[in-house]
């Protein structure tokens, strides 16, 4: 069986080229069906890559077909695309796919979305025995890498870092309340991240009322005046500040009094503004945690370093899974010999029982069933060890040799002919 | 022969204590070695306690060293309830060095030997068992409080590596501390109730007064927490303060009287 992979990714192709060949799910299904043409095909298209996987048991020019399809997608940019296309075959293609599924080939190592995208591409593809197996094992490898390492656990962006810190303080954000001070883009992104984890955006305070109301209506929150943040501060669990004010917005006796009134109940103040919005001295108040944009950036940097360390472990898991697939593929070489051997044995058993038919007629129905079962068990037990040994041998280089020996010893070729 | 079981327990607990220190660099092999050390040590110590119980006609842990042996087992059992979860593994960083040191002390004091003991009856066994279980619970709660304060300090200082360690969230630690303290107080109360069955006028001593003071202290902390006046680091300090009474004052007064 042959497997070919042709694709472009963020490693070598700029976004202008990648967007030329990007297809949605319906497009991927259509393209896979088109290029399959008697073989198996899967199209994986994400914002970072477009890859075409083709497999066939016959000797077909799979790579040429895939490159042609990709260049056709690129249209006028075909020449530029041709310079950055990568081509992989068989085991290299498998290793690449497994690494992609585990998030090891992503911009941010271990990012979580790619596994779902590989799964979707698999479901949308025109698959057969080989790609079914390869993609199922790729999804398994991706899942295993995430379960057995912490590669996907740490945050990879500032909004994600803010949400992860909030989770670390509050043990889940379900039902936690968030106050947004300022209606900037970062504040919006952070709020969306917090909401996706179950937090509730309860209030928005902004200098420009119209902007504040727009953001508040998006989250179903109320607007509060910047000058009267005290009561909301006393109850909110997370405060995200990102105004363009030249000085601190959260400072002074009223703010301190509001935070002290919480009596040690934790509050996370996330300051995304430059110049800063939150007076860092507020961190001295019991239960009050203040993180500015530099702190969050440092958290992201540290967690990315952690992800890279975990990536080494994930690579080992991927390599083990590739080896498993190789063993499975190798075992396919001896499957016909095993099938012939079992068929031959069954044929002999049936023939011998038929020859003894006259003598067996004297037996009761129950005794005949016993004879059937016992002879079948003898055949199964006799063939069990040779089958296992053949499969084991198939993993090494001598698998085909053993298969030939079995064929010769039992005269399977003469019989098949 | 059975008394030799203390050595695998000691070695495994010691190994766990060191392994958990390695977990500080991030989750991985060290943490897994740590939890396996705890499990193996716990099994060895359980076998030792069973051997001690079977060879005895009375309560085999009536001496201070024997009590310490049983106490360590109860503390490690309490830890294992949460320690198996990856998020709570680092609690072992606080609990296991204490457990290993106390077991070594129990061994030095002769509390891990297997011999015929005829002291005490079932009433003493239930009373002492419940009291030690309650105090072990308070010890585990103190471990949680220590982890809380350490994690809170890292968060306050905006330590960039705080998310790389698998630590329980602060709110979860705060909640668990309170629940463990409450459960421990219930168990200690049951122990006291059983002890009252054999109580005679004139038996009241300093150790009993300290026990009641400990209960009052922890009880007050829980009430204040419920009222919203004692949460987070304040509760953690209170639980650690109570542990000074449990770990130092109570044993001194109990074995002196």
């Amino acid at each position: 069986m042959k497997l070919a992979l042709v694709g472009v990714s963020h490693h070598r192709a700029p976004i202008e080229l990648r967007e030329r060949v990007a297809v949605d799910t319906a497009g991927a299904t259509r393209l896979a069906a088109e290029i399959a043409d008697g073989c198996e095909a899967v199209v994986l298209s994400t914002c970072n890559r477009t890859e075409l996987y083709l497999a066939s048991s016959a000797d077909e020019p799979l790579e040429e077909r895939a490159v042609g399809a990709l260049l056709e997608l690129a249209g006028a940019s075909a020449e530029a695309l041709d310079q950055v296309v990568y081509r992989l075959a068989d085991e290299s293609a498998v290793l690449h796919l497994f690494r992609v599924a585990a998030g090891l080939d992503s911009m941010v190592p271990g990012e979580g979305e790619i596994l779902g995208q590989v799964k979707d591409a698999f479901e949308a593809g025109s698959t057969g025995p080989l790609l079914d197996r390869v993609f199922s094992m790729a999804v398994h490898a991706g899942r295993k890498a995430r379960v057995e390492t912490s590669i996907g656990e740490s945050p990879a962006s500032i909004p994600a870092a803010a949400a992860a810190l909030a989770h670390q303080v509050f043990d889940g954000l379900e039902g936690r309340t968030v106050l947004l001070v300022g209606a900037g883009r970062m504040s919006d992104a952070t709020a969306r991240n917090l909401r996706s984890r179950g937090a509730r955006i309860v209030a928005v305070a902004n200098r420009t009322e119209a902007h504040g109301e727009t953001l508040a209506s998006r989250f179903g929150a109320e607007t509060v005046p910047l000058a009267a943040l005290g009561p909301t501060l006393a109850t909110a669990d997370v405060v995200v500040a990102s105004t363009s004010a030249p000085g601190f917005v959260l400072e002074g006796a009223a703010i301190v009094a509001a935070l002290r009134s919480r009596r040690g109940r934790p509050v996370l103040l996330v300051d995304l503004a430059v110049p800063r919005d939150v007076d860092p001295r507020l961190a001295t108040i019991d239960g009050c945690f203040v993180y500015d944009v530099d702190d969050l950036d440092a958290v992201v940097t540290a967690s990315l370093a952690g992800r890279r360390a975990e990536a080494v472990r994930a690579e080992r898991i991927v390599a083990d899974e590739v080896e498993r697939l190789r063993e499975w593929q190798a075992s396919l070489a001896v499957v016909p010999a095993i099938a012939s051997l079992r068929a031959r044995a069954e044929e002999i058993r049936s023939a011998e029982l038929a020859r003894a038919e006259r003598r067996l007629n004297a037996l009761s129905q129950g005794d005949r069933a016993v004879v059937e079962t016992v002879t079948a068990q003898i055949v199964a037990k006799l063939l069990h060890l040779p089958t296992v040994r053949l499969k084991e041998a198939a993993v090494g280089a001598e698998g085909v040799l053993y298969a030939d020996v079995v064929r010769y010893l039992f005269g399977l070729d003469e019989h098949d002919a | 022969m059975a008394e030799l079981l203390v050595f695998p327990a000691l070695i495994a607990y010691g190994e766990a204590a060191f392994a958990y220190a390695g977990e500080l660099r991030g989750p991985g092999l060290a943490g897994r070695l740590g939890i396996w050390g705890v499990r193996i040590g716990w099994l060895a110590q359980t076998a030792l306690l069973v051997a001690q119980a079977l060879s005895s006609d009375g309560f085999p842990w009536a001496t201070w060293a024997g009590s310490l042996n049983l106490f360590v087992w109860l503390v490690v059992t309490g830890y294992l309830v949460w320690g198996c979860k990856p998020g709570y593994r680092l609690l072992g960083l606080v609990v296991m060095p204490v457990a290993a040191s106390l077991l070594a002390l129990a061994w030095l004091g002769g509390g891990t030997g297997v011999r015929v003991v005829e002291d005490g009856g079932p009433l003493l066994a239930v009373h002492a068992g419940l009291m030690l279980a309650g105090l072990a619970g308070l010890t585990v709660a103190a471990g949680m409080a220590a982890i809380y304060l350490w994690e809170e300090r890292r968060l306050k200082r905006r330590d960039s590596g705080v998310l790389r360690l698998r630590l329980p969230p602060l709110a979860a630690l705060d909640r668990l501390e309170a629940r463990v303290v409450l459960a421990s107080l219930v168990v200690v109360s049951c122990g006291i109730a059983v002890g009252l069955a054999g109580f005679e006028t004139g038996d009241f001593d300093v150790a009993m007064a300290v026990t009641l003071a400990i209960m009052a202290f922890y009880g007050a902390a829980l009430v204040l927490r419920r009222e919203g006046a004692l949460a987070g680091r304040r509760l953690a300090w209170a639980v650690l303060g109570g542990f000074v009474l449990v770990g130092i004052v109570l044993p001194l007064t109990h074995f002196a009287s």
Side-chain angles (χ1 to χ4, degrees), chain A residues 200-225:
Chain A
R200 212 155 38 85
I201 317 297
V202 289
V204 177
N206 196 48
R207 194 181 302 270
T208 317
E209 223 170 278
H211 286 169
E213 272 168 11
T214 311
L215 192 63
S217 65
R218 199 178 309 155
F219 291 113
E222 60 173 12
T223 53
V224 290

Side-chain angles (χ1 to χ4, degrees), chain A residues 237-255:
Chain A
D237 297 305
V238 182
V239 179
V240 181
S242 68
T243 75
S244 50
F248 295 140
V249 175
L250 297 182
E251 65 165 351
I255 298 293

Side-chain angles (χ1 to χ4, degrees), chain B residues 134-200:
Chain B
L135 299 179
L138 294 175
T139 307
V140 173
M144 289 176 178
I147 292 283
Y148 182 100
L149 291 170
W150 179 60
E151 185 181 352
E152 196 228 20
R153 188 181 158 87
R154 292 191 70 154
L155 280 163
K156 278 269 187 196
R157 290 183 164 197
R158 295 171 282 181
D159 183 339
S160 61
V162 72
L163 295 179
R164 284 192 62 192
L165 294 176
R166 270 196 189 140
L167 284 167
L170 283 183
L173 277 173
D174 185 59
R175 198 172 51 242
L176 271 181
E177 256 172 68
R179 284 185 191 168
V180 173
V181 168
L182 180 63
S184 302
L185 288 188
V186 171
V187 174
V188 169
S189 304
C190 294
I192 291 174
V194 172
L196 282 176
F199 184 80
E200 285 170 21

Side-chain angles (χ1 to χ4, degrees), chain A residues 34-365:
Chain A
E34 266 172 38
I35 59 174
D37 191 25
C39 58
E40 304 173 41
V42 170
V43 176
L44 171 64
S45 185
T46 72
C47 52
N48 283 337
R49 71 189 68 246
T50 296
E51 291 176 342
L52 276 53
Y53 292 84
L54 280 168
S56 171
S57 50
D59 198 14
E60 292 187 54
L62 299 175
E63 188 184 303
E64 287 76 3
R65 199 192 296 179
V67 171
L70 203 61
L71 295 181
E72 201 179 311
L73 269 182
S77 310
E79 203 175 315
L81 193 85
D82 198 27
Q83 307 295 311
V84 292
V85 164
Y86 46 82
R87 302 162 168 87
L88 298 168
D90 301 329
E91 207 163 304
S92 313
V94 169
L95 177 62
H96 177 84
L97 174 63
F98 282 28
R99 292 188 75 250
V100 167
L104 293 169
D105 197 56
S106 300
M107 272 186 186
V108 177
E111 59 101 353
E113 258 181 81
I114 186 67
L115 185 59
Q117 290 165 330
V118 168
K119 215 171 149 197
D120 291 345
F122 171 36
E123 282 162 7
S126 300
T127 56
L130 181 61
L131 284 189
D132 268 346
R133 185 79 180 196
V134 169
F135 271 81
S136 304
M137 286 191 72
V139 171
H140 172 74
R143 209 170 282 150
K144 196 171 171 189
R146 283 175 177 80
V147 170
E148 293 187 9
T149 72
S150 54
I151 189 169
E153 282 180 13
S154 41
S157 66
I158 284 181
L165 282 166
H167 180 89
Q168 193 61 34
V169 172
F170 296 109
D171 187 21
L173 295 176
E174 203 62 50
R176 296 288 175 180
T177 54
V178 180
L179 161 67
L180 301 180
V181 181
R185 262 198 327 178
M186 280 295 270
S187 160
D188 184 21
T190 308
R192 273 189 282 123
N193 209 315
L194 290 166
R195 195 171 67 160
S196 71
R197 293 173 184 232
R200 212 155 38 85
I201 317 297
V202 289
V204 177
N206 196 48
R207 194 181 302 270
T208 317
E209 223 170 278
H211 286 169
E213 272 168 11
T214 311
L215 192 63
S217 65
R218 199 178 309 155
F219 291 113
E222 60 173 12
T223 53
V224 290
L226 266 178
L229 286 175
T232 321
L233 265 181
T235 56
D237 297 305
V238 182
V239 179
V240 181
S242 68
T243 75
S244 50
F248 295 140
V249 175
L250 297 182
E251 65 165 351
I255 298 293
V256 171
L259 292 172
R260 282 198 199 286
S261 72
R262 304 172 65 91
R263 296 200 287 183
R265 211 157 42 79
V267 58
L268 177 66
L269 304 178
V270 180
D271 187 355
L272 300 172
V274 179
R276 287 176 296 175
D277 280 343
V278 181
D279 185 347
R281 285 172 300 183
L282 294 180
T284 56
I285 297 172
D286 197 8
C288 193
F289 303 94
V290 181
Y291 278 76
D292 64 31
V293 79
D294 275 3
D295 302 326
L296 294 170
D297 195 41
V299 168
V300 172
T301 308
S303 60
L304 284 179
R307 277 181 184 238
R308 278 189 278 274
E310 287 299 289
V312 177
R313 290 178 57 208
E315 291 279 10
R316 279 200 290 271
I317 290 170
V318 163
D320 288 346
E321 292 301 311
V322 170
E323 181 57 25
R324 274 187 53 210
L325 183 77
R326 200 185 69 77
E327 287 173 8
W328 170 77
Q329 253 190 307
S331 74
L332 293 180
V334 297
V335 165
I338 292 170
S340 297
L341 179 62
R342 286 184 171 274
R344 178 88 182 108
E346 178 56 29
E347 199 181 293
I348 293 170
R349 188 185 75 90
S350 306
E352 289 304 311
L353 282 176
R355 273 181 53 191
E357 183 69 29
R358 215 150 44 91
R359 275 172 291 160
L360 292 177
N361 273 343
L363 297 178
S364 69
Q365 202 66 13

Side-chain angles (χ1 to χ4, degrees), chain B residues 198-217:
Chain B
F199 184 80
E200 285 170 21
T201 318
D203 280 353
F204 192 80
D205 58 13
V206 186
M208 290 178 191
V210 171
T211 308
L212 291 177
I214 288 170
M215 291 193 66
F217 180 83

